[in-house]
Amino acid sequence: MQFKSILFVVCPVITVMALERRAAAVFTAEKVYHTVIDQSPYLVDRTTTVIWTESASIRDSSLPTVAPTPTIVY
């Protein structure tokens, strides 16, 4: 009987520990593009870096979640 009582207390604790929130994955993308400049060597490489984190859902509830309506301008 004592084993069941211990198991009854330990199982929820183990479950909560297993559901511990993990840090979001961080991704980095780097784009390299060629640029012509007016000084020697005249052709150089430029880079831009984009860093973002993975998330499961939209966190800001004020953002619209529907598609925008098209607008025709004459």
Side-chain angles (χ1 to χ4, degrees):
M1 187 66 178
Q2 187 177 8
F3 177 71
K4 288 182 181 179
S5 298
I6 293 172
L7 192 62
F8 184 73
V9 172
V10 172
C11 282
V13 172
I14 292 173
T15 304
V16 170
M17 289 171 54
L19 295 176
E20 178 182 336
R21 187 174 186 151
R22 297 185 179 111
V26 177
F27 299 99
T28 304
E30 187 173 274
K31 181 179 179 182
V32 179
Y33 53 96
H34 304 296
T35 304
V36 178
I37 60 172
D38 59 356
Q39 297 175 352
S40 181
Y42 303 108
L43 183 62
V44 295
D45 292 333
R46 303 277 173 125
T47 60
T48 57
T49 304
V50 178
I51 301 171
W52 69 94
T53 57
E54 178 183 46
S55 65
S57 63
I58 298 173
R59 294 180 186 252
D60 188 359
S61 61
S62 67
L63 296 174
T65 57
V66 296
T69 56
T71 304
I72 300 174
V73 179
Y74 294 101

Coordinates of all heavy atoms in Angstrom, one line a residue:
M1 N 0.8 -1.2 0.0 CA 0.0 0.0 0.0 C 0.9 1.3 0.0 O 0.5 2.2 -0.6 CB -0.9 0.0 1.2 CG -1.9 1.0 1.2 SD -3.1 0.8 -0.2 CE -4.1 2.1 0.1
Q2 N 2.0 1.2 0.7 CA 2.9 2.4 0.8 C 3.5 2.6 -0.6 O 3.7 3.8 -1.0 CB 4.0 2.1 1.8 CG 4.8 3.4 2.0 CD 5.8 3.1 3.1 OE1 6.0 2.0 3.6 NE2 6.5 4.2 3.5
F3 N 3.7 1.6 -1.4 CA 4.3 1.8 -2.7 C 3.3 2.5 -3.6 O 3.7 3.4 -4.4 CB 4.6 0.4 -3.3 CG 5.1 0.5 -4.7 CD1 6.4 1.0 -5.0 CD2 4.3 0.1 -5.8 CE1 6.9 1.0 -6.3 CE2 4.8 0.2 -7.1 CZ 6.1 0.7 -7.3
K4 N 2.0 2.3 -3.5 CA 1.0 3.0 -4.3 C 1.0 4.5 -3.9 O 0.8 5.3 -4.8 CB -0.4 2.3 -4.1 CG -0.5 1.0 -4.8 CD -1.9 0.5 -4.7 CE -2.0 -0.9 -5.3 NZ -3.4 -1.4 -5.2
S5 N 1.1 4.8 -2.6 CA 1.1 6.1 -2.2 C 2.3 6.9 -2.7 O 2.2 8.1 -3.2 CB 1.1 6.2 -0.6 OG 0.0 5.6 -0.1
I6 N 3.5 6.3 -2.7 CA 4.7 6.9 -3.2 C 4.5 7.1 -4.7 O 4.9 8.2 -5.2 CB 5.9 6.1 -2.8 CG1 6.1 6.1 -1.3 CG2 7.2 6.6 -3.6 CD1 7.2 5.2 -0.9
L7 N 4.0 6.1 -5.4 CA 3.9 6.2 -6.8 C 2.8 7.3 -7.2 O 3.0 8.0 -8.2 CB 3.4 4.9 -7.4 CG 3.4 4.7 -8.9 CD1 4.8 4.8 -9.4 CD2 2.9 3.3 -9.3
F8 N 1.8 7.4 -6.4 CA 0.8 8.5 -6.6 C 1.4 9.9 -6.5 O 0.9 10.8 -7.1 CB -0.4 8.3 -5.6 CG -1.5 9.2 -5.8 CD1 -2.4 9.0 -6.8 CD2 -1.7 10.2 -4.9 CE1 -3.4 9.9 -7.0 CE2 -2.8 11.1 -5.1 CZ -3.6 10.9 -6.1
V9 N 2.4 10.1 -5.6 CA 3.0 11.4 -5.4 C 4.1 11.6 -6.5 O 4.3 12.7 -7.0 CB 3.5 11.5 -4.0 CG1 4.4 12.8 -3.8 CG2 2.4 11.5 -3.0
V10 N 4.9 10.6 -6.8 CA 6.0 10.7 -7.6 C 5.6 10.9 -9.1 O 6.3 11.7 -9.8 CB 7.0 9.5 -7.5 CG1 8.1 9.6 -8.5 CG2 7.6 9.6 -6.0
C11 N 4.6 10.2 -9.6 CA 4.2 10.3 -11.0 C 3.9 11.7 -11.5 O 4.4 12.2 -12.5 CB 3.1 9.4 -11.3 SG 3.6 7.7 -11.4
P12 N 3.1 12.5 -10.7 CA 2.8 13.9 -11.2 C 4.1 14.8 -11.2 O 4.3 15.6 -12.1 CB 1.8 14.4 -10.2 CG 1.2 13.2 -9.6 CD 2.2 12.1 -9.6
V13 N 5.0 14.5 -10.2 CA 6.2 15.3 -10.2 C 7.1 15.0 -11.4 O 7.6 15.9 -12.1 CB 7.0 15.0 -8.9 CG1 8.4 15.7 -8.9 CG2 6.2 15.5 -7.7
I14 N 7.2 13.8 -11.8 CA 7.9 13.4 -13.0 C 7.3 13.9 -14.2 O 8.0 14.4 -15.2 CB 8.1 11.8 -13.0 CG1 9.0 11.4 -11.9 CG2 8.7 11.4 -14.4 CD1 9.0 9.9 -11.8
T15 N 6.0 13.9 -14.3 CA 5.3 14.5 -15.5 C 5.5 15.9 -15.6 O 5.8 16.4 -16.7 CB 3.8 14.2 -15.3 OG1 3.6 12.8 -15.1 CG2 3.0 14.7 -16.5
V16 N 5.5 16.7 -14.6 CA 5.7 18.1 -14.6 C 7.2 18.4 -15.0 O 7.5 19.3 -15.8 CB 5.4 18.8 -13.3 CG1 5.9 20.2 -13.2 CG2 3.9 18.7 -13.0
M17 N 8.1 17.6 -14.5 CA 9.5 17.8 -14.9 C 9.7 17.5 -16.4 O 10.5 18.2 -17.1 CB 10.4 16.9 -14.0 CG 10.5 17.4 -12.6 SD 11.3 16.2 -11.5 CE 12.9 16.0 -12.3
A18 N 9.0 16.6 -16.9 CA 9.1 16.2 -18.3 C 8.5 17.3 -19.2 O 9.0 17.4 -20.4 CB 8.4 14.9 -18.6
L19 N 7.6 18.1 -18.7 CA 7.0 19.1 -19.5 C 7.7 20.4 -19.4 O 7.1 21.5 -19.8 CB 5.5 19.3 -19.1 CG 4.6 18.1 -19.4 CD1 3.2 18.3 -18.9 CD2 4.5 17.8 -20.9
E20 N 8.9 20.4 -18.9 CA 9.6 21.7 -18.7 C 9.8 22.4 -20.0 O 10.1 21.8 -21.0 CB 11.0 21.3 -18.1 CG 11.9 22.5 -17.9 CD 13.3 22.1 -17.5 OE1 13.4 21.1 -16.9 OE2 14.2 22.9 -17.7
R21 N 9.6 23.7 -20.0 CA 9.6 24.5 -21.2 C 11.1 24.6 -21.7 O 12.0 24.9 -20.9 CB 9.1 25.9 -20.9 CG 9.0 26.7 -22.1 CD 8.3 28.0 -21.8 NE 8.2 28.7 -23.0 CZ 7.2 29.6 -23.3 NH1 6.4 29.9 -22.3 NH2 7.1 30.2 -24.4
R22 N 11.2 24.3 -22.9 CA 12.6 24.3 -23.5 C 12.8 25.6 -24.3 O 11.8 26.3 -24.7 CB 12.7 23.2 -24.5 CG 12.6 21.8 -23.8 CD 12.9 20.7 -24.8 NE 12.8 19.4 -24.0 CZ 11.9 18.5 -24.2 NH1 10.9 18.7 -25.0 NH2 11.9 17.4 -23.5
A23 N 14.0 26.0 -24.4 CA 14.3 27.3 -25.1 C 14.0 27.1 -26.6 O 14.2 26.0 -27.2 CB 15.8 27.6 -24.9
A24 N 13.5 28.2 -27.2 CA 13.2 28.1 -28.6 C 14.5 28.0 -29.5 O 15.5 28.6 -29.1 CB 12.4 29.4 -29.0
A25 N 14.4 27.4 -30.6 CA 15.5 27.2 -31.5 C 15.8 28.5 -32.1 O 14.9 29.3 -32.5 CB 15.2 26.1 -32.5
V26 N 17.1 28.9 -32.3 CA 17.5 30.1 -32.9 C 18.1 29.7 -34.3 O 19.0 28.9 -34.4 CB 18.5 30.8 -32.1 CG1 19.0 32.1 -32.8 CG2 17.9 31.2 -30.7
F27 N 17.6 30.4 -35.4 CA 18.1 30.2 -36.7 C 18.8 31.4 -37.2 O 18.4 32.5 -36.9 CB 17.0 29.8 -37.6 CG 16.3 28.5 -37.2 CD1 15.1 28.6 -36.5 CD2 16.8 27.3 -37.5 CE1 14.4 27.4 -36.1 CE2 16.2 26.1 -37.1 CZ 15.0 26.2 -36.4
T28 N 19.8 31.2 -38.0 CA 20.6 32.3 -38.6 C 20.7 32.0 -40.1 O 21.1 30.9 -40.5 CB 22.0 32.4 -38.0 OG1 21.8 32.6 -36.6 CG2 22.7 33.6 -38.6
A29 N 20.4 33.0 -40.9 CA 20.6 32.9 -42.4 C 21.5 34.1 -42.8 O 21.3 35.2 -42.4 CB 19.3 33.0 -43.1
E30 N 22.4 33.8 -43.7 CA 23.3 34.8 -44.2 C 23.3 34.8 -45.7 O 23.4 33.8 -46.3 CB 24.8 34.6 -43.7 CG 25.7 35.7 -44.0 CD 27.1 35.5 -43.4 OE1 27.2 35.9 -42.2 OE2 27.9 34.9 -44.1
K31 N 23.0 36.0 -46.2 CA 23.0 36.2 -47.7 C 24.2 36.9 -48.2 O 24.5 38.0 -47.6 CB 21.7 36.9 -48.1 CG 21.6 37.0 -49.6 CD 20.3 37.8 -49.9 CE 20.2 37.9 -51.4 NZ 19.0 38.7 -51.8
V32 N 24.9 36.4 -49.1 CA 26.1 37.0 -49.7 C 25.8 37.4 -51.1 O 25.3 36.6 -51.9 CB 27.3 36.0 -49.7 CG1 28.5 36.7 -50.3 CG2 27.6 35.5 -48.3
Y33 N 26.0 38.7 -51.4 CA 25.8 39.2 -52.8 C 26.9 40.0 -53.2 O 27.6 40.7 -52.5 CB 24.4 39.9 -52.9 CG 24.2 41.0 -51.9 CD1 24.5 42.3 -52.2 CD2 23.7 40.7 -50.6 CE1 24.3 43.3 -51.3 CE2 23.6 41.7 -49.7 CZ 23.9 43.0 -50.1 OH 23.7 44.1 -49.2
H34 N 27.1 40.0 -54.5 CA 28.2 40.8 -55.2 C 27.8 42.2 -55.4 O 26.6 42.5 -55.8 CB 28.7 40.2 -56.5 CG 29.0 38.7 -56.3 ND1 30.1 38.3 -55.6 CD2 28.5 37.6 -56.8 CE1 30.2 37.0 -55.6 NE2 29.2 36.5 -56.4
T35 N 28.7 43.2 -55.2 CA 28.4 44.6 -55.4 C 29.5 45.2 -56.1 O 30.7 45.0 -55.9 CB 28.2 45.3 -54.0 OG1 27.2 44.6 -53.3 CG2 27.8 46.7 -54.2
V36 N 29.2 46.1 -57.1 CA 30.2 46.8 -57.8 C 30.3 48.2 -57.2 O 29.3 48.9 -56.9 CB 29.7 47.0 -59.3 CG1 30.7 47.8 -60.1 CG2 29.5 45.7 -59.9
I37 N 31.6 48.6 -56.9 CA 31.9 49.9 -56.3 C 32.8 50.6 -57.2 O 33.3 50.1 -58.2 CB 32.5 49.7 -54.9 CG1 33.8 48.9 -54.9 CG2 31.5 49.1 -53.9 CD1 34.5 48.9 -53.6
D38 N 33.0 51.9 -56.9 CA 33.8 52.8 -57.8 C 35.3 52.8 -57.4 O 36.0 53.7 -57.9 CB 33.2 54.2 -57.9 CG 33.1 54.8 -56.5 OD1 33.5 54.2 -55.5 OD2 32.7 56.0 -56.5
Q39 N 35.7 52.0 -56.5 CA 37.1 51.9 -56.1 C 37.6 50.5 -56.3 O 36.9 49.6 -56.3 CB 37.3 52.4 -54.6 CG 36.9 53.8 -54.4 CD 37.0 54.1 -52.9 OE1 37.2 53.2 -52.1 NE2 36.8 55.4 -52.6
S40 N 39.0 50.4 -56.4 CA 39.5 49.1 -56.6 C 39.3 48.2 -55.3 O 39.3 48.8 -54.2 CB 41.1 49.2 -56.8 OG 41.6 47.9 -57.0
P41 N 38.9 47.0 -55.4 CA 38.9 46.0 -56.5 C 37.6 46.0 -57.3 O 37.4 45.1 -58.1 CB 39.0 44.7 -55.7 CG 38.3 45.0 -54.4 CD 38.6 46.4 -54.1
Y42 N 36.7 47.0 -57.2 CA 35.5 47.2 -58.0 C 34.4 46.2 -57.8 O 33.3 46.5 -58.0 CB 35.9 47.3 -59.5 CG 36.9 48.4 -59.7 CD1 38.2 48.1 -60.1 CD2 36.5 49.7 -59.6 CE1 39.1 49.1 -60.3 CE2 37.4 50.7 -59.8 CZ 38.7 50.4 -60.2 OH 39.6 51.4 -60.4
L43 N 34.7 45.0 -57.4 CA 33.7 44.0 -57.2 C 34.0 43.4 -55.8 O 35.0 42.8 -55.5 CB 33.8 42.8 -58.2 CG 32.7 41.8 -58.1 CD1 31.3 42.4 -58.3 CD2 32.9 40.7 -59.1
V44 N 33.0 43.6 -54.9 CA 33.2 43.2 -53.5 C 31.9 42.3 -53.1 O 30.9 42.4 -53.7 CB 33.3 44.4 -52.5 CG1 34.6 45.1 -52.8 CG2 32.1 45.3 -52.6
D45 N 32.1 41.6 -52.1 CA 31.0 40.8 -51.5 C 30.4 41.5 -50.3 O 31.2 41.9 -49.4 CB 31.5 39.4 -51.1 CG 31.9 38.5 -52.3 OD1 31.3 38.8 -53.4 OD2 32.7 37.6 -52.1
R46 N 29.1 41.6 -50.3 CA 28.4 42.2 -49.1 C 27.6 41.1 -48.5 O 27.1 40.2 -49.2 CB 27.5 43.3 -49.6 CG 28.2 44.5 -50.3 CD 28.8 45.4 -49.2 NE 29.6 46.4 -49.9 CZ 29.5 47.7 -49.8 NH1 28.5 48.2 -49.0 NH2 30.3 48.5 -50.4
T47 N 27.3 41.2 -47.2 CA 26.5 40.2 -46.6 C 25.4 40.8 -45.7 O 25.6 41.9 -45.2 CB 27.3 39.3 -45.6 OG1 27.9 40.1 -44.6 CG2 28.4 38.5 -46.4
T48 N 24.3 40.1 -45.6 CA 23.2 40.5 -44.7 C 22.9 39.2 -43.9 O 23.0 38.1 -44.4 CB 22.0 41.0 -45.4 OG1 21.5 40.0 -46.3 CG2 22.2 42.2 -46.2
T49 N 22.7 39.5 -42.6 CA 22.4 38.3 -41.7 C 21.0 38.5 -41.1 O 20.7 39.6 -40.6 CB 23.4 38.3 -40.6 OG1 24.7 38.2 -41.2 CG2 23.2 37.1 -39.7
V50 N 20.2 37.5 -41.1 CA 18.9 37.5 -40.5 C 18.8 36.4 -39.4 O 19.2 35.3 -39.7 CB 17.8 37.2 -41.6 CG1 16.4 37.2 -40.9 CG2 17.8 38.2 -42.7
I51 N 18.4 36.8 -38.2 CA 18.3 35.9 -37.1 C 16.9 35.9 -36.6 O 16.3 36.9 -36.4 CB 19.3 36.3 -36.0 CG1 20.7 36.4 -36.5 CG2 19.2 35.4 -34.8 CD1 21.7 37.0 -35.5
W52 N 16.3 34.7 -36.4 CA 15.0 34.6 -35.9 C 14.9 33.3 -35.0 O 15.7 32.4 -35.0 CB 14.0 34.5 -37.0 CG 14.0 33.3 -37.8 CD1 13.2 32.2 -37.7 CD2 14.8 33.0 -39.0 NE1 13.5 31.2 -38.6 CE2 14.4 31.7 -39.4 CE3 15.8 33.7 -39.6 CZ2 15.0 31.1 -40.5 CZ3 16.4 33.1 -40.7 CH2 16.0 31.9 -41.2
T53 N 13.9 33.3 -34.1 CA 13.6 32.2 -33.2 C 12.3 31.5 -33.6 O 11.4 32.1 -34.1 CB 13.5 32.7 -31.8 OG1 12.5 33.6 -31.7 CG2 14.8 33.3 -31.3
E54 N 12.3 30.2 -33.3 CA 11.1 29.4 -33.6 C 10.1 29.5 -32.5 O 10.5 29.6 -31.3 CB 11.6 28.0 -33.7 CG 10.5 27.0 -34.0 CD 11.0 25.6 -34.0 OE1 11.8 25.2 -33.1 OE2 10.7 24.8 -34.9
S55 N 8.8 29.7 -32.9 CA 7.8 29.7 -31.9 C 6.6 28.9 -32.4 O 6.4 28.7 -33.6 CB 7.4 31.1 -31.5 OG 6.8 31.8 -32.6
A56 N 5.8 28.4 -31.5 CA 4.7 27.6 -31.9 C 3.5 28.3 -32.4 O 2.7 27.8 -33.2 CB 4.3 26.7 -30.7
S57 N 3.3 29.6 -32.0 CA 2.1 30.3 -32.4 C 2.4 31.8 -32.4 O 3.4 32.3 -32.0 CB 0.9 30.0 -31.5 OG 1.3 30.4 -30.2
I58 N 1.4 32.6 -32.8 CA 1.5 34.0 -32.8 C 1.3 34.5 -31.3 O 0.4 34.1 -30.6 CB 0.4 34.7 -33.6 CG1 0.5 34.2 -35.1 CG2 0.4 36.2 -33.5 CD1 -0.6 34.7 -36.0
R59 N 2.3 35.2 -30.8 CA 2.3 35.6 -29.4 C 1.6 37.0 -29.2 O 1.0 37.2 -28.2 CB 3.7 35.7 -28.9 CG 4.4 34.4 -28.9 CD 5.8 34.5 -28.3 NE 6.5 33.3 -28.4 CZ 6.8 32.5 -27.4 NH1 6.5 32.9 -26.2 NH2 7.4 31.4 -27.6
D60 N 1.5 37.8 -30.2 CA 0.9 39.1 -30.1 C -0.5 39.0 -30.6 O -0.8 38.8 -31.8 CB 1.7 40.2 -30.9 CG 1.2 41.6 -30.7 OD1 0.2 41.7 -29.9 OD2 1.7 42.5 -31.3
S61 N -1.5 39.0 -29.7 CA -2.9 38.8 -30.1 C -3.5 40.0 -30.8 O -4.6 40.0 -31.3 CB -3.7 38.5 -28.8 OG -3.6 39.6 -27.9
S62 N -2.8 41.2 -30.8 CA -3.3 42.3 -31.5 C -3.1 42.3 -33.0 O -3.7 43.1 -33.8 CB -2.7 43.6 -31.0 OG -1.3 43.7 -31.3
L63 N -2.3 41.4 -33.5 CA -2.0 41.2 -34.9 C -3.2 40.5 -35.6 O -3.8 39.6 -35.0 CB -0.7 40.4 -35.2 CG 0.5 41.0 -34.6 CD1 1.7 40.1 -34.8 CD2 0.8 42.3 -35.4
P64 N -3.6 41.0 -36.8 CA -4.6 40.3 -37.5 C -4.2 38.9 -38.0 O -3.1 38.7 -38.4 CB -4.9 41.2 -38.7 CG -3.7 42.0 -38.9 CD -3.0 42.1 -37.5
T65 N -5.1 38.0 -37.9 CA -4.8 36.6 -38.3 C -5.6 36.2 -39.6 O -5.6 35.1 -40.0 CB -5.1 35.6 -37.2 OG1 -6.5 35.7 -36.8 CG2 -4.2 35.8 -36.0
V66 N -6.2 37.2 -40.2 CA -7.0 36.9 -41.4 C -6.3 37.5 -42.6 O -5.5 38.5 -42.4 CB -8.4 37.4 -41.4 CG1 -9.2 36.7 -40.3 CG2 -8.4 38.9 -41.1
A67 N -6.6 37.1 -43.8 CA -5.9 37.6 -45.0 C -6.4 39.0 -45.2 O -7.6 39.3 -45.0 CB -6.2 36.7 -46.2
P68 N -5.6 39.9 -45.7 CA -6.0 41.3 -46.0 C -6.9 41.3 -47.2 O -6.8 40.5 -48.1 CB -4.7 42.0 -46.3 CG -3.7 41.0 -46.7 CD -4.1 39.7 -46.0
T69 N -7.8 42.3 -47.2 CA -8.8 42.4 -48.3 C -8.1 43.2 -49.4 O -7.3 44.2 -49.2 CB -10.0 43.2 -47.9 OG1 -9.6 44.5 -47.3 CG2 -10.8 42.4 -46.8
P70 N -8.3 42.8 -50.6 CA -7.6 43.5 -51.7 C -8.2 44.8 -52.0 O -9.4 45.1 -51.8 CB -7.9 42.5 -52.9 CG -9.0 41.7 -52.6 CD -9.0 41.6 -51.1
T71 N -7.4 45.8 -52.4 CA -7.8 47.1 -52.6 C -7.4 47.5 -54.1 O -6.3 47.3 -54.5 CB -7.1 48.1 -51.7 OG1 -7.4 47.7 -50.4 CG2 -7.6 49.5 -51.9
I72 N -8.4 48.0 -54.8 CA -8.2 48.4 -56.2 C -8.1 49.9 -56.2 O -9.1 50.6 -55.8 CB -9.2 47.9 -57.2 CG1 -9.2 46.3 -57.1 CG2 -9.0 48.4 -58.6 CD1 -10.3 45.7 -57.9
V73 N -7.1 50.5 -56.7 CA -6.9 52.0 -56.8 C -7.0 52.4 -58.2 O -6.2 51.9 -59.1 CB -5.6 52.4 -56.1 CG1 -5.4 53.9 -56.2 CG2 -5.5 52.0 -54.7
Y74 N -7.9 53.4 -58.6 CA -8.0 53.9 -59.9 C -7.3 55.2 -60.0 O -7.3 56.0 -59.2 CB -9.4 54.0 -60.4 CG -10.1 52.6 -60.5 CD1 -10.9 52.2 -59.4 CD2 -9.9 51.8 -61.6 CE1 -11.5 50.9 -59.5 CE2 -10.5 50.6 -61.7 CZ -11.3 50.2 -60.7 OH -11.9 48.9 -60.8

